[in-house]
PDB file of all heavy atoms in Angstrom:
ATOM      1  N   ARG A  25     106.192 103.362  98.915  1.00 98.00           N
ATOM      2  CA  ARG A  25     107.161 103.783  99.914  1.00 98.00           C
ATOM      3  C   ARG A  25     106.736 103.293 101.286  1.00 98.00           C
ATOM      4  O   ARG A  25     105.553 103.072 101.541  1.00 98.00           O
ATOM      5  CB  ARG A  25     107.338 105.304  99.918  1.00 98.00           C
ATOM      6  CG  ARG A  25     106.105 106.086 100.352  1.00 98.00           C
ATOM      7  CD  ARG A  25     106.329 107.576 100.158  1.00 98.00           C
ATOM      8  NE  ARG A  25     105.195 108.365 100.627  1.00 98.00           N
ATOM      9  CZ  ARG A  25     105.081 109.672 100.467  1.00 98.00           C
ATOM     10  NH1 ARG A  25     106.049 110.357  99.844  1.00 98.00           N
ATOM     11  NH2 ARG A  25     104.011 110.314 100.931  1.00 98.00           N
ATOM     12  N   GLN A  26     107.716 103.139 102.143  1.00 98.00           N
ATOM     13  CA  GLN A  26     107.451 102.671 103.487  1.00 98.00           C
ATOM     14  C   GLN A  26     108.369 103.386 104.465  1.00 98.00           C
ATOM     15  O   GLN A  26     109.591 103.286 104.366  1.00 98.00           O
ATOM     16  CB  GLN A  26     107.642 101.159 103.599  1.00 98.00           C
ATOM     17  CG  GLN A  26     107.212 100.590 104.929  1.00 98.00           C
ATOM     18  CD  GLN A  26     107.112  99.086 104.905  1.00 98.00           C
ATOM     19  OE1 GLN A  26     107.760  98.426 104.091  1.00 98.00           O
ATOM     20  NE2 GLN A  26     106.296  98.527 105.780  1.00 98.00           N
ATOM     21  N   ALA A  27     107.763 104.095 105.383  1.00 97.00           N
ATOM     22  CA  ALA A  27     108.496 104.774 106.434  1.00 97.00           C
ATOM     23  C   ALA A  27     108.568 103.874 107.658  1.00 97.00           C
ATOM     24  O   ALA A  27     107.725 102.984 107.837  1.00 97.00           O
ATOM     25  CB  ALA A  27     107.818 106.096 106.789  1.00 97.00           C
ATOM     26  N   PRO A  28     109.556 104.076 108.522  1.00 93.00           N
ATOM     27  CA  PRO A  28     109.676 103.238 109.719  1.00 93.00           C
ATOM     28  C   PRO A  28     108.392 103.246 110.544  1.00 93.00           C
ATOM     29  O   PRO A  28     107.836 104.304 110.834  1.00 93.00           O
ATOM     30  CB  PRO A  28     110.828 103.881 110.484  1.00 93.00           C
ATOM     31  CG  PRO A  28     111.650 104.541 109.425  1.00 93.00           C
ATOM     32  CD  PRO A  28     110.653 105.046 108.419  1.00 93.00           C
ATOM     33  N   GLY A  29     107.930 102.061 110.906  1.00 95.00           N
ATOM     34  CA  GLY A  29     106.744 101.937 111.724  1.00 95.00           C
ATOM     35  C   GLY A  29     105.435 102.151 111.005  1.00 95.00           C
ATOM     36  O   GLY A  29     104.381 102.133 111.651  1.00 95.00           O
ATOM     37  N   LYS A  30     105.473 102.346 109.699  1.00 96.00           N
ATOM     38  CA  LYS A  30     104.265 102.575 108.925  1.00 96.00           C
ATOM     39  C   LYS A  30     104.105 101.501 107.858  1.00 96.00           C
ATOM     40  O   LYS A  30     105.061 100.832 107.480  1.00 96.00           O
ATOM     41  CB  LYS A  30     104.293 103.958 108.280  1.00 96.00           C
ATOM     42  CG  LYS A  30     104.373 105.112 109.267  1.00 96.00           C
ATOM     43  CD  LYS A  30     104.442 106.455 108.564  1.00 96.00           C
ATOM     44  CE  LYS A  30     103.172 106.770 107.802  1.00 96.00           C
ATOM     45  NZ  LYS A  30     103.230 108.115 107.170  1.00 96.00           N
ATOM     46  N   GLU A  31     102.897 101.371 107.380  1.00 96.00           N
ATOM     47  CA  GLU A  31     102.631 100.403 106.331  1.00 96.00           C
ATOM     48  C   GLU A  31     103.129 100.919 104.997  1.00 96.00           C
ATOM     49  O   GLU A  31     103.299 102.123 104.793  1.00 96.00           O
ATOM     50  CB  GLU A  31     101.128 100.101 106.254  1.00 96.00           C
ATOM     51  CG  GLU A  31     100.287 101.288 105.827  1.00 96.00           C
ATOM     52  CD  GLU A  31      98.800 100.981 105.802  1.00 96.00           C
ATOM     53  OE1 GLU A  31      98.426  99.853 106.168  1.00 96.00           O
ATOM     54  OE2 GLU A  31      98.015 101.864 105.419  1.00 96.00           O
ATOM     55  N   ARG A  32     103.375  99.997 104.089  1.00 96.00           N
ATOM     56  CA  ARG A  32     103.792 100.388 102.758  1.00 96.00           C
ATOM     57  C   ARG A  32     102.628 101.055 102.038  1.00 96.00           C
ATOM     58  O   ARG A  32     101.517 100.529 102.029  1.00 96.00           O
ATOM     59  CB  ARG A  32     104.280  99.165 101.980  1.00 96.00           C
ATOM     60  CG  ARG A  32     104.935  99.503 100.660  1.00 96.00           C
ATOM     61  CD  ARG A  32     105.671  98.292 100.086  1.00 96.00           C
ATOM     62  NE  ARG A  32     106.752  97.865 100.964  1.00 96.00           N
ATOM     63  CZ  ARG A  32     107.622  96.920 100.652  1.00 96.00           C
ATOM     64  NH1 ARG A  32     107.548  96.296  99.484  1.00 96.00           N
ATOM     65  NH2 ARG A  32     108.570  96.587 101.520  1.00 96.00           N
ATOM     66  N   GLU A  33     102.888 102.204 101.436  1.00 97.00           N
ATOM     67  CA  GLU A  33     101.826 102.958 100.799  1.00 97.00           C
ATOM     68  C   GLU A  33     102.116 103.208  99.329  1.00 97.00           C
ATOM     69  O   GLU A  33     103.266 103.346  98.902  1.00 97.00           O
ATOM     70  CB  GLU A  33     101.580 104.288 101.520  1.00 97.00           C
ATOM     71  CG  GLU A  33     102.713 105.286 101.402  1.00 97.00           C
ATOM     72  CD  GLU A  33     102.362 106.643 101.982  1.00 97.00           C
ATOM     73  OE1 GLU A  33     101.162 106.922 102.203  1.00 97.00           O
ATOM     74  OE2 GLU A  33     103.292 107.441 102.223  1.00 97.00           O
ATOM     75  N   PHE A  34     101.051 103.301  98.592  1.00 98.00           N
ATOM     76  CA  PHE A  34     101.132 103.575  97.168  1.00 98.00           C
ATOM     77  C   PHE A  34     101.564 105.006  96.915  1.00 98.00           C
ATOM     78  O   PHE A  34     101.134 105.928  97.611  1.00 98.00           O
ATOM     79  CB  PHE A  34      99.763 103.321  96.528  1.00 98.00           C
ATOM     80  CG  PHE A  34      99.655 103.811  95.119  1.00 98.00           C
ATOM     81  CD1 PHE A  34     100.193 103.079  94.073  1.00 98.00           C
ATOM     82  CD2 PHE A  34      99.011 104.998  94.830  1.00 98.00           C
ATOM     83  CE1 PHE A  34     100.090 103.520  92.765  1.00 98.00           C
ATOM     84  CE2 PHE A  34      98.896 105.454  93.537  1.00 98.00           C
ATOM     85  CZ  PHE A  34      99.443 104.710  92.498  1.00 98.00           C
ATOM     86  N   VAL A  35     102.392 105.189  95.885  1.00 98.00           N
ATOM     87  CA  VAL A  35     102.863 106.513  95.512  1.00 98.00           C
ATOM     88  C   VAL A  35     102.421 106.888  94.101  1.00 98.00           C
ATOM     89  O   VAL A  35     101.807 107.933  93.891  1.00 98.00           O
ATOM     90  CB  VAL A  35     104.397 106.611  95.612  1.00 98.00           C
ATOM     91  CG1 VAL A  35     104.884 107.961  95.095  1.00 98.00           C
ATOM     92  CG2 VAL A  35     104.844 106.392  97.049  1.00 98.00           C
ATOM     93  N   ALA A  36     102.735 106.048  93.123  1.00 98.00           N
ATOM     94  CA  ALA A  36     102.439 106.388  91.734  1.00 98.00           C
ATOM     95  C   ALA A  36     102.383 105.126  90.891  1.00 98.00           C
ATOM     96  O   ALA A  36     103.017 104.119  91.209  1.00 98.00           O
ATOM     97  CB  ALA A  36     103.493 107.351  91.168  1.00 98.00           C
ATOM     98  N   HIS A  37     101.646 105.207  89.804  1.00 97.00           N
ATOM     99  CA  HIS A  37     101.477 104.082  88.890  1.00 97.00           C
ATOM    100  C   HIS A  37     101.566 104.581  87.462  1.00 97.00           C
ATOM    101  O   HIS A  37     101.130 105.700  87.159  1.00 97.00           O
ATOM    102  CB  HIS A  37     100.114 103.419  89.132  1.00 97.00           C
ATOM    103  CG  HIS A  37      99.773 102.318  88.174  1.00 97.00           C
ATOM    104  ND1 HIS A  37      99.208 102.552  86.934  1.00 97.00           N
ATOM    105  CD2 HIS A  37      99.910 100.969  88.275  1.00 97.00           C
ATOM    106  CE1 HIS A  37      99.014 101.406  86.318  1.00 97.00           C
ATOM    107  NE2 HIS A  37      99.430 100.431  87.108  1.00 97.00           N
ATOM    108  N   ILE A  38     102.119 103.747  86.590  1.00 97.00           N
ATOM    109  CA  ILE A  38     102.188 104.077  85.178  1.00 97.00           C
ATOM    110  C   ILE A  38     101.826 102.843  84.368  1.00 97.00           C
ATOM    111  O   ILE A  38     102.230 101.721  84.685  1.00 97.00           O
ATOM    112  CB  ILE A  38     103.574 104.636  84.789  1.00 97.00           C
ATOM    113  CG1 ILE A  38     103.562 105.179  83.357  1.00 97.00           C
ATOM    114  CG2 ILE A  38     104.668 103.582  84.982  1.00 97.00           C
ATOM    115  CD1 ILE A  38     104.775 106.044  83.050  1.00 97.00           C
ATOM    116  N   SER A  39     101.056 103.059  83.315  1.00 95.00           N
ATOM    117  CA  SER A  39     100.614 101.961  82.477  1.00 95.00           C
ATOM    118  C   SER A  39     101.766 101.409  81.648  1.00 95.00           C
ATOM    119  O   SER A  39     102.859 101.971  81.596  1.00 95.00           O
ATOM    120  CB  SER A  39      99.479 102.417  81.567  1.00 95.00           C
ATOM    121  OG  SER A  39      99.905 103.458  80.706  1.00 95.00           O
ATOM    122  N   ARG A  40     101.499 100.309  80.986  1.00 93.00           N
ATOM    123  CA  ARG A  40     102.550  99.616  80.245  1.00 93.00           C
ATOM    124  C   ARG A  40     103.186 100.461  79.160  1.00 93.00           C
ATOM    125  O   ARG A  40     104.410 100.397  78.947  1.00 93.00           O
ATOM    126  CB  ARG A  40     101.995  98.320  79.646  1.00 93.00           C
ATOM    127  CG  ARG A  40     101.624  97.280  80.696  1.00 93.00           C
ATOM    128  CD  ARG A  40     101.081  96.024  80.062  1.00 93.00           C
ATOM    129  NE  ARG A  40      99.811  96.254  79.378  1.00 93.00           N
ATOM    130  CZ  ARG A  40      99.151  95.330  78.705  1.00 93.00           C
ATOM    131  NH1 ARG A  40      99.629  94.089  78.619  1.00 93.00           N
ATOM    132  NH2 ARG A  40      98.003  95.630  78.111  1.00 93.00           N
ATOM    133  N   SER A  41     102.377 101.253  78.485  1.00 92.00           N
ATOM    134  CA  SER A  41     102.891 102.116  77.431  1.00 92.00           C
ATOM    135  C   SER A  41     103.358 103.467  77.948  1.00 92.00           C
ATOM    136  O   SER A  41     103.989 104.226  77.200  1.00 92.00           O
ATOM    137  CB  SER A  41     101.818 102.331  76.372  1.00 92.00           C
ATOM    138  OG  SER A  41     100.745 103.094  76.895  1.00 92.00           O
ATOM    139  N   GLY A  42     103.040 103.773  79.181  1.00 94.00           N
ATOM    140  CA  GLY A  42     103.359 105.070  79.740  1.00 94.00           C
ATOM    141  C   GLY A  42     102.306 106.124  79.490  1.00 94.00           C
ATOM    142  O   GLY A  42     102.486 107.283  79.882  1.00 94.00           O
ATOM    143  N   GLY A  43     101.197 105.746  78.869  1.00 94.00           N
ATOM    144  CA  GLY A  43     100.186 106.714  78.500  1.00 94.00           C
ATOM    145  C   GLY A  43      99.276 107.156  79.622  1.00 94.00           C
ATOM    146  O   GLY A  43      98.605 108.183  79.495  1.00 94.00           O
ATOM    147  N   THR A  44      99.226 106.393  80.694  1.00 96.00           N
ATOM    148  CA  THR A  44      98.343 106.710  81.803  1.00 96.00           C
ATOM    149  C   THR A  44      99.128 106.676  83.098  1.00 96.00           C
ATOM    150  O   THR A  44      99.868 105.721  83.353  1.00 96.00           O
ATOM    151  CB  THR A  44      97.180 105.717  81.883  1.00 96.00           C
ATOM    152  OG1 THR A  44      96.466 105.712  80.641  1.00 96.00           O
ATOM    153  CG2 THR A  44      96.225 106.097  83.007  1.00 96.00           C
ATOM    154  N   THR A  45      98.968 107.708  83.894  1.00 97.00           N
ATOM    155  CA  THR A  45      99.610 107.760  85.204  1.00 97.00           C
ATOM    156  C   THR A  45      98.583 108.066  86.271  1.00 97.00           C
ATOM    157  O   THR A  45      97.530 108.647  86.002  1.00 97.00           O
ATOM    158  CB  THR A  45     100.725 108.812  85.242  1.00 97.00           C
ATOM    159  OG1 THR A  45     100.180 110.100  84.911  1.00 97.00           O
ATOM    160  CG2 THR A  45     101.825 108.462  84.248  1.00 97.00           C
ATOM    161  N   TYR A  46      98.910 107.684  87.489  1.00 97.00           N
ATOM    162  CA  TYR A  46      98.018 107.887  88.622  1.00 97.00           C
ATOM    163  C   TYR A  46      98.874 108.090  89.856  1.00 97.00           C
ATOM    164  O   TYR A  46      99.869 107.389  90.055  1.00 97.00           O
ATOM    165  CB  TYR A  46      97.095 106.683  88.796  1.00 97.00           C
ATOM    166  CG  TYR A  46      96.137 106.793  89.942  1.00 97.00           C
ATOM    167  CD1 TYR A  46      95.010 107.595  89.853  1.00 97.00           C
ATOM    168  CD2 TYR A  46      96.346 106.091  91.124  1.00 97.00           C
ATOM    169  CE1 TYR A  46      94.121 107.697  90.907  1.00 97.00           C
ATOM    170  CE2 TYR A  46      95.465 106.185  92.188  1.00 97.00           C
ATOM    171  CZ  TYR A  46      94.354 106.992  92.072  1.00 97.00           C
ATOM    172  OH  TYR A  46      93.480 107.089  93.113  1.00 97.00           O
ATOM    173  N   TYR A  47      98.469 109.036  90.706  1.00 98.00           N
ATOM    174  CA  TYR A  47      99.267 109.401  91.860  1.00 98.00           C
ATOM    175  C   TYR A  47      98.446 109.402  93.137  1.00 98.00           C
ATOM    176  O   TYR A  47      97.245 109.688  93.127  1.00 98.00           O
ATOM    177  CB  TYR A  47      99.861 110.799  91.681  1.00 98.00           C
ATOM    178  CG  TYR A  47     100.757 110.932  90.482  1.00 98.00           C
ATOM    179  CD1 TYR A  47     100.249 111.337  89.253  1.00 98.00           C
ATOM    180  CD2 TYR A  47     102.114 110.649  90.579  1.00 98.00           C
ATOM    181  CE1 TYR A  47     101.068 111.453  88.146  1.00 98.00           C
ATOM    182  CE2 TYR A  47     102.939 110.763  89.476  1.00 98.00           C
ATOM    183  CZ  TYR A  47     102.413 111.166  88.264  1.00 98.00           C
ATOM    184  OH  TYR A  47     103.234 111.282  87.171  1.00 98.00           O
ATOM    185  N   ALA A  48      99.119 109.108  94.218  1.00 98.00           N
ATOM    186  CA  ALA A  48      98.509 109.307  95.519  1.00 98.00           C
ATOM    187  C   ALA A  48      98.293 110.796  95.743  1.00 98.00           C
ATOM    188  O   ALA A  48      99.065 111.632  95.265  1.00 98.00           O
ATOM    189  CB  ALA A  48      99.400 108.727  96.618  1.00 98.00           C
ATOM    190  N   ASP A  49      97.244 111.126  96.481  1.00 98.00           N
ATOM    191  CA  ASP A  49      96.945 112.527  96.739  1.00 98.00           C
ATOM    192  C   ASP A  49      98.111 113.255  97.403  1.00 98.00           C
ATOM    193  O   ASP A  49      98.329 114.443  97.168  1.00 98.00           O
ATOM    194  CB  ASP A  49      95.707 112.647  97.627  1.00 98.00           C
ATOM    195  CG  ASP A  49      94.426 112.254  96.915  1.00 98.00           C
ATOM    196  OD1 ASP A  49      94.426 112.188  95.671  1.00 98.00           O
ATOM    197  OD2 ASP A  49      93.422 112.015  97.610  1.00 98.00           O
ATOM    198  N   SER A  50      98.860 112.536  98.202  1.00 97.00           N
ATOM    199  CA  SER A  50      99.936 113.151  98.955  1.00 97.00           C
ATOM    200  C   SER A  50     101.100 113.621  98.094  1.00 97.00           C
ATOM    201  O   SER A  50     101.893 114.453  98.536  1.00 97.00           O
ATOM    202  CB  SER A  50     100.448 112.180 100.025  1.00 97.00           C
ATOM    203  OG  SER A  50     100.928 110.986  99.430  1.00 97.00           O
ATOM    204  N   VAL A  51     101.208 113.093  96.871  1.00 98.00           N
ATOM    205  CA  VAL A  51     102.341 113.439  96.020  1.00 98.00           C
ATOM    206  C   VAL A  51     101.936 114.077  94.702  1.00 98.00           C
ATOM    207  O   VAL A  51     102.803 114.609  93.993  1.00 98.00           O
ATOM    208  CB  VAL A  51     103.228 112.212  95.734  1.00 98.00           C
ATOM    209  CG1 VAL A  51     103.654 111.535  97.026  1.00 98.00           C
ATOM    210  CG2 VAL A  51     102.520 111.218  94.815  1.00 98.00           C
ATOM    211  N   GLU A  52     100.677 114.042  94.359  1.00 97.00           N
ATOM    212  CA  GLU A  52     100.236 114.594  93.080  1.00 97.00           C
ATOM    213  C   GLU A  52     100.597 116.068  92.982  1.00 97.00           C
ATOM    214  O   GLU A  52     100.386 116.838  93.916  1.00 97.00           O
ATOM    215  CB  GLU A  52      98.740 114.392  92.890  1.00 97.00           C
ATOM    216  CG  GLU A  52      98.267 114.763  91.494  1.00 97.00           C
ATOM    217  CD  GLU A  52      96.927 114.155  91.151  1.00 97.00           C
ATOM    218  OE1 GLU A  52      96.240 113.657  92.060  1.00 97.00           O
ATOM    219  OE2 GLU A  52      96.563 114.168  89.964  1.00 97.00           O
ATOM    220  N   GLY A  53     101.141 116.439  91.842  1.00 98.00           N
ATOM    221  CA  GLY A  53     101.597 117.800  91.631  1.00 98.00           C
ATOM    222  C   GLY A  53     103.056 118.007  91.967  1.00 98.00           C
ATOM    223  O   GLY A  53     103.638 119.018  91.560  1.00 98.00           O
ATOM    224  N   ARG A  54     103.640 117.067  92.703  1.00 98.00           N
ATOM    225  CA  ARG A  54     105.045 117.167  93.080  1.00 98.00           C
ATOM    226  C   ARG A  54     105.892 116.064  92.453  1.00 98.00           C
ATOM    227  O   ARG A  54     107.062 116.286  92.133  1.00 98.00           O
ATOM    228  CB  ARG A  54     105.202 117.103  94.596  1.00 98.00           C
ATOM    229  CG  ARG A  54     104.493 118.232  95.335  1.00 98.00           C
ATOM    230  CD  ARG A  54     104.829 118.222  96.821  1.00 98.00           C
ATOM    231  NE  ARG A  54     104.373 116.992  97.470  1.00 98.00           N
ATOM    232  CZ  ARG A  54     105.173 116.126  98.080  1.00 98.00           C
ATOM    233  NH1 ARG A  54     106.480 116.349  98.145  1.00 98.00           N
ATOM    234  NH2 ARG A  54     104.671 115.038  98.652  1.00 98.00           N
ATOM    235  N   PHE A  55     105.310 114.887  92.300  1.00 98.00           N
ATOM    236  CA  PHE A  55     106.030 113.735  91.765  1.00 98.00           C
ATOM    237  C   PHE A  55     105.555 113.439  90.352  1.00 98.00           C
ATOM    238  O   PHE A  55     104.385 113.635  90.021  1.00 98.00           O
ATOM    239  CB  PHE A  55     105.790 112.490  92.623  1.00 98.00           C
ATOM    240  CG  PHE A  55     106.421 112.513  93.986  1.00 98.00           C
ATOM    241  CD1 PHE A  55     106.977 113.662  94.515  1.00 98.00           C
ATOM    242  CD2 PHE A  55     106.451 111.354  94.743  1.00 98.00           C
ATOM    243  CE1 PHE A  55     107.549 113.673  95.772  1.00 98.00           C
ATOM    244  CE2 PHE A  55     107.020 111.347  96.000  1.00 98.00           C
ATOM    245  CZ  PHE A  55     107.571 112.501  96.520  1.00 98.00           C
ATOM    246  N   THR A  56     106.459 112.923  89.536  1.00 98.00           N
ATOM    247  CA  THR A  56     106.136 112.512  88.183  1.00 98.00           C
ATOM    248  C   THR A  56     106.731 111.139  87.916  1.00 98.00           C
ATOM    249  O   THR A  56     107.939 110.944  88.074  1.00 98.00           O
ATOM    250  CB  THR A  56     106.669 113.503  87.138  1.00 98.00           C
ATOM    251  OG1 THR A  56     106.125 114.807  87.387  1.00 98.00           O
ATOM    252  CG2 THR A  56     106.271 113.058  85.738  1.00 98.00           C
ATOM    253  N   ILE A  57     105.892 110.200  87.523  1.00 98.00           N
ATOM    254  CA  ILE A  57     106.363 108.881  87.144  1.00 98.00           C
ATOM    255  C   ILE A  57     106.459 108.817  85.627  1.00 98.00           C
ATOM    256  O   ILE A  57     105.604 109.356  84.918  1.00 98.00           O
ATOM    257  CB  ILE A  57     105.444 107.774  87.702  1.00 98.00           C
ATOM    258  CG1 ILE A  57     106.040 106.384  87.437  1.00 98.00           C
ATOM    259  CG2 ILE A  57     104.037 107.880  87.143  1.00 98.00           C
ATOM    260  CD1 ILE A  57     105.295 105.250  88.145  1.00 98.00           C
ATOM    261  N   SER A  58     107.496 108.188  85.130  1.00 98.00           N
ATOM    262  CA  SER A  58     107.678 108.034  83.698  1.00 98.00           C
ATOM    263  C   SER A  58     108.415 106.731  83.441  1.00 98.00           C
ATOM    264  O   SER A  58     108.939 106.102  84.368  1.00 98.00           O
ATOM    265  CB  SER A  58     108.441 109.220  83.104  1.00 98.00           C
ATOM    266  OG  SER A  58     109.739 109.327  83.662  1.00 98.00           O
TER     267      SER A  58
END
């Protein structure tokens, strides 16, 4: 994600099979990637 005037930042990642996910601290517990 990228907010005005800010650098693009990582939010979430999911592996090819969907078996592994990883989240930025700022969104973990609130966002779910699938």
Side-chain angles (χ1 to χ4, degrees):
R25 66 187 183 186
Q26 187 167 24
K30 299 178 66 177
E31 65 182 3
R32 189 167 297 186
E33 68 173 344
F34 169 79
V35 175
H37 175 276
I38 189 166
S39 61
R40 293 180 295 178
S41 68
T44 303
T45 58
Y46 180 76
Y47 300 91
D49 290 343
S50 60
V51 306
E52 188 161 13
R54 299 187 297 119
F55 290 11
T56 302
I57 187 171
S58 62

